Amino acid sequence: MNTIMKKLKNSQGLFSLLGLLLLVVVSSLSSDRFLRFDNIITILRQSSILLILSVGLTGVVLTRGVDLSISAMAAFVGCTSAQLLKAGVPIPIVFIVGIIIGGIIGLFNGFLVGRLRLPPFVATYGTMMVVNGFSLIMMQGAVIYGLPENFAWYGVGYIGFLPVPVVIAAAVVAFFIVLLKNTTFGREIYLIGSNYNVALYSAVPVRKRIYTMYAICGMTAGLAGLILTARLNAAEVAMGDTFGLQTVAAVVIGGTSLLGGEGGPLGTVIGALILTIVVNIMNLLGVSSYAQPVVIGVVIISTVYLDVVSKQKRVN
Amino acid sequence: MARSKTFRGRLDTIPPVFWMLLSSIIIFTALSPQFLEVSNFRNILIQAAPLLVVSIGVTIVLLSEGVDLSTGGTISLTTVLWITFLKLGIPMGFAIIITLIITSIIGGVNGFIVAKGNVPPFIVTLGMSSITSGIALVMTQGSSIYFYHPLFSIIVNSRILSIPMPIIIAAIVFLISWVLLYRTKFGAQVFGLGGNPEALTLGGINKIWSIMRVFSYSGLLAGITGLILASRIESGNPISGVGWEFDAVAATLIGGTSFNEGKGGIGGTILGVLLLAIIRNALNVIGVSSMYQSALIGSMVLLAIIIDVYFNMRKDNRVETEV
């Protein structure tokens, strides 16, 4: 029984990977610029922020939750950090403050979901509105730009030939793989998602785990906001908007089930890459940027549909 | 629910939103004497009317244990579609009918995907919102499209018996929805879906079809809201519906409809819509910038949800074994 489950899990990851390979082949056939080294680096760089956001989200989705507020959080942290930098606060402190703010908002989400047992999408949708409102108040409609050059390095700089955001994203992914796959904490997260009651009766401190997972997700959202600000070298309220649905899409395309307990961070890497390549190839082919939300919408509905239906078939 | 005979018991049956409404009216009147003027109240009602229309649809979806976050995208698309049809020279009547059929179909597709695959409705409707607003953007290349027709001014400005037209439209929609919800099989199925979906299936009712109808009705009402909005702004604007999906869900939740067990109804939603409109209006009259408004309304909604859940928890007296 166990091996069958494992095989199914592997096959799901394989499915995403095959999708990615197919996409790469099709893309390189449809545009000769696609496989150039600089375009590949561009894709990796473009995917890095989405990846940081959605890897954090993966942990939450594994608990059978979802966090719709992470893009708003990223924008809020970005705006806050830009204000702090303008006020002359040193960069390391800005990073720490930004990540802590994300963690606190995440903890609040965790409280709404874990303690009050609100449906996660309701709770985090509400948080999203509140956080967006606070960003609006803080920025008063302004755009902050011209941040210190040392800070911009985190968005546009290189370590060797790799862009800094890519390195940071890789580190975050590695952290999540260890956290979710190789620790008791990770096992418990999977258990909560696949069977809440069993987790409860197995003496798993369910609430605490849910608090922690949402808080970690908030912290990665804060980190993503900082790097996004560094890359744009500017901050504004709407800076996170494009990531809204894409984060959920990346997680689901990567094979993590919205029904919880199945999938993992590696799949999300594939999911984020697939989404970024789709957007990249649309840009290379000159598809109007207005059409991109249509494609994202279709992709997300169809993947979620396939995921849920296939899972139900297996259960039956 | 049995009516309690004691005064205290009767007080408990009045939804919290009523007290919120009453206290906000008192507070805002104290803060600004202009607030209680008849013309201001008429303005509030006119502002609230289109929101009420879309919120009724969202309420019915919530009662059936679904959620519809696609209304904003549908409203944007409605304004764009309608104006585009009119620009193409399609007669007014046809343009309205085709537009409303399209929005109903959008809702129906939502419902079909939700019901057929048992897919979480929030993700389906969020995805649909992305699709519809994307289509609106593509159709207009991101800018507004303009057209003028005398009907716009009739919808926005005319009065029957000195009642402004938007209020009449909202009232008609409310009455029809009330009859549908409480006097027809459609309504019984809505409450059945919210309360006990298995019983519906056992009763030989096609669950997919009834969920599709619920979402389709929400799409239709979002379409009507879009028509009122387009008449007001006399244009088709691909981002005009942004945020409406949230206001509609907010009004519904503040109005006392809850996510579980099909509790609540469209009566409470009227109060929720009024409360939102009054707060927006009062903040404008007092001179609070729109930036603070969205934070305030967001916090209120969250608070309303939390209070609702908190009281449900206490009522249920659920004992959770937790380490």
Side-chain angles (χ1 to χ4, degrees):
Chain A
M1 191 61 205
N2 236 344
T3 49
I4 296 174
M5 285 301 287
K6 256 183 195 164
K7 264 186 195 163
L8 280 170
K9 257 180 212 168
N10 288 342
S11 71
Q12 207 175 15
L14 200 68
F15 197 61
S16 316
L17 195 61
L18 281 178
L20 179 62
L21 288 177
L22 189 71
L23 193 61
V24 169
V25 171
V26 171
S27 306
S28 45
L29 286 178
S30 55
S31 164
D32 52 352
R33 276 179 298 170
F34 179 78
L35 269 186
R36 280 195 203 160
F37 180 71
D38 56 339
N39 192 45
I40 291 175
I41 291 292
T42 308
I43 289 173
L44 287 178
R45 194 212 300 272
Q46 282 176 348
S47 67
S48 56
I49 291 168
L50 174 63
L51 184 55
I52 297 173
L53 282 169
S54 33
V55 164
L57 180 62
T58 306
V60 167
V61 173
L62 284 175
T63 67
R64 200 174 186 158
V66 75
D67 191 341
L68 300 178
S69 66
I70 48 178
S71 48
M73 268 191 242
F76 180 70
V77 169
C79 295
T80 320
S81 60
Q83 303 250 10
L84 290 176
L85 287 166
K86 278 281 174 191
V89 178
I91 294 171
I93 296 182
V94 171
F95 262 84
I96 293 170
V97 170
I99 292 174
I100 289 179
I101 292 177
I104 292 174
I105 303 174
L107 198 62
F108 177 66
N109 280 331
F111 172 77
L112 296 180
V113 174
R115 177 72 187 85
L116 297 182
R117 311 275 297 127
L118 288 182
F121 81 90
V122 184
T124 55
Y125 198 69
T127 309
M128 177 186 88
M129 296 315 284
V130 179
V131 170
N132 256 340
F134 281 117
S135 303
L136 282 166
I137 293 173
M138 193 170 58
M139 300 296 277
Q140 297 288 337
V143 179
I144 300 180
Y145 48 86
L147 303 171
E149 266 181 33
N150 292 340
F151 182 71
W153 180 79
Y154 290 96
V156 295
Y158 285 88
I159 298 174
F161 64 94
L162 283 175
V164 180
V166 177
V167 177
I168 297 177
V172 173
V173 171
F175 168 76
F176 270 88
I177 290 174
V178 173
L179 179 75
L180 292 171
K181 295 285 188 186
N182 297 330
T183 64
T184 325
F185 176 84
R187 292 270 143 242
E188 288 170 350
I189 291 293
Y190 274 88
L191 183 58
I192 292 171
S194 54
N195 200 328
Y196 185 88
N197 286 332
V198 167
L200 211 59
Y201 296 135
S202 317
V204 173
V206 174
R207 266 184 209 160
K208 272 190 208 154
R209 293 295 173 263
I210 289 179
Y211 292 169
T212 319
M213 204 59 249
Y214 278 88
I216 294 176
C217 175
M219 287 160 84
T220 52
L223 181 64
L226 286 159
I227 293 168
L228 181 62
T229 311
R231 197 179 95 193
L232 300 173
N233 200 18
E236 56 146 344
V237 175
M239 67 199 278
D241 285 2
T242 48
F243 293 107
L245 254 191
Q246 288 194 24
T247 52
V248 186
V251 172
V252 177
I253 294 171
T256 301
S257 171
L258 274 181
L259 303 177
E262 213 172 275
L266 265 185
T268 304
V269 176
I270 298 172
L273 281 175
I274 290 180
L275 265 187
T276 313
I277 291 175
V278 169
V279 172
N280 180 273
I281 200 74
M282 282 199 287
N283 286 335
L284 288 182
L285 293 178
V287 177
S288 148
S289 65
Y290 298 128
Q292 287 174 10
V294 181
V295 176
I296 303 270
V298 171
V299 166
I300 190 163
I301 292 183
S302 42
T303 18
V304 173
Y305 182 82
L306 289 176
D307 165 51
V308 175
V309 169
S310 74
K311 186 159 187 179
Q312 276 158 0
K313 265 188 193 155
R314 266 177 286 146
V315 169
N316 291 338
Chain B
M1 197 196 300
R3 277 265 161 83
S4 176
K5 276 179 190 158
T6 62
F7 180 65
R8 182 70 211 283
R10 284 214 181 129
L11 270 187
D12 275 353
T13 58
I14 296 174
V17 61
F18 178 80
W19 302 118
M20 284 159 85
L21 198 58
L22 199 67
S23 48
S24 57
I25 290 176
I26 293 170
I27 293 170
F28 291 135
T29 311
L31 286 175
S32 161
Q34 276 169 286
F35 182 77
L36 262 188
E37 279 170 22
V38 176
S39 64
N40 191 41
F41 250 88
R42 188 180 294 134
N43 272 338
I44 292 176
L45 289 178
I46 293 175
Q47 293 289 333
L51 181 60
L52 178 61
V53 174
V54 60
S55 303
I56 290 172
V58 170
T59 306
I60 295 177
V61 174
L62 245 80
L63 286 173
S64 76
E65 204 121 291
V67 67
D68 192 349
L69 299 176
S70 71
T71 51
T74 307
I75 290 171
S76 300
L77 184 60
T78 305
T79 66
V80 169
L81 278 179
W82 192 30
I83 302 292
T84 309
F85 288 150
L86 292 177
K87 280 192 136 179
L88 290 173
I90 295 173
M92 184 49 108
F94 275 120
I96 290 180
I97 292 171
I98 299 170
T99 309
L100 291 181
I101 288 177
I102 292 175
T103 64
S104 310
I105 291 175
I106 292 171
V109 172
N110 277 333
F112 179 75
I113 300 169
V114 167
K116 182 81 180 159
N118 226 348
V119 184
F122 83 93
I123 197 80
V124 174
T125 52
L126 268 181
M128 185 55 84
S129 190
S130 179
I131 295 173
T132 48
S133 51
I135 293 175
L137 281 167
V138 171
M139 283 176 69
T140 58
Q141 285 308 306
S143 51
S144 288
I145 47 173
Y146 296 93
F147 188 83
Y148 184 74
H149 192 281
L151 185 69
F152 295 165
S153 143
I154 295 176
I155 291 178
V156 180
N157 294 325
S158 69
R159 290 176 185 181
I160 298 176
L161 302 172
S162 83
I163 303 171
M165 200 58 159
I167 300 174
I168 293 178
I169 297 174
I172 293 173
V173 168
F174 179 80
L175 287 177
I176 293 174
S177 307
W178 193 88
V179 171
L180 274 177
L181 204 51
Y182 297 105
R183 292 283 179 274
T184 66
K185 273 184 194 162
F186 170 78
Q189 287 176 14
V190 169
F191 286 106
L193 285 169
N196 193 347
E198 282 81 19
L200 271 192
T201 323
L202 291 176
I205 285 159
N206 186 344
K207 198 178 151 197
I208 294 175
W209 182 232
S210 32
I211 291 179
M212 274 177 75
R213 279 196 297 184
V214 170
F215 276 90
S216 192
Y217 191 63
S218 174
L220 173 70
L221 295 194
I224 294 175
T225 303
L227 296 182
I228 301 176
L229 188 63
S231 313
R232 191 188 281 167
I233 58 180
E234 293 178 359
S235 59
N237 181 335
I239 56 168
S240 55
V242 172
W244 283 73
E245 74 281 2
F246 179 74
D247 278 5
V249 174
T252 304
L253 293 174
I254 295 175
T257 300
S258 96
F259 273 98
N260 13 352
E261 297 148 22
K263 257 186 263 173
I266 57 177
T269 303
I270 293 186
L271 299 180
V273 168
L274 274 181
L275 185 64
L276 280 190
I278 283 179
I279 288 176
R280 283 247 159 82
N281 173 277
L283 293 176
N284 282 335
V285 170
I286 298 166
V288 176
S289 91
S290 64
M291 296 162 188
Y292 292 90
Q293 295 182 20
S294 53
L296 198 72
I297 290 177
S299 314
M300 265 183 43
V301 173
L302 210 52
L303 201 69
I305 305 170
I306 292 172
I307 291 174
D308 174 55
V309 170
Y310 182 69
F311 279 112
N312 276 342
M313 275 178 143
R314 282 186 46 177
K315 265 186 211 157
D316 291 355
N317 257 340
R318 272 186 300 202
V319 184
E320 255 187 276
T321 40
E322 182 124 25
V323 181

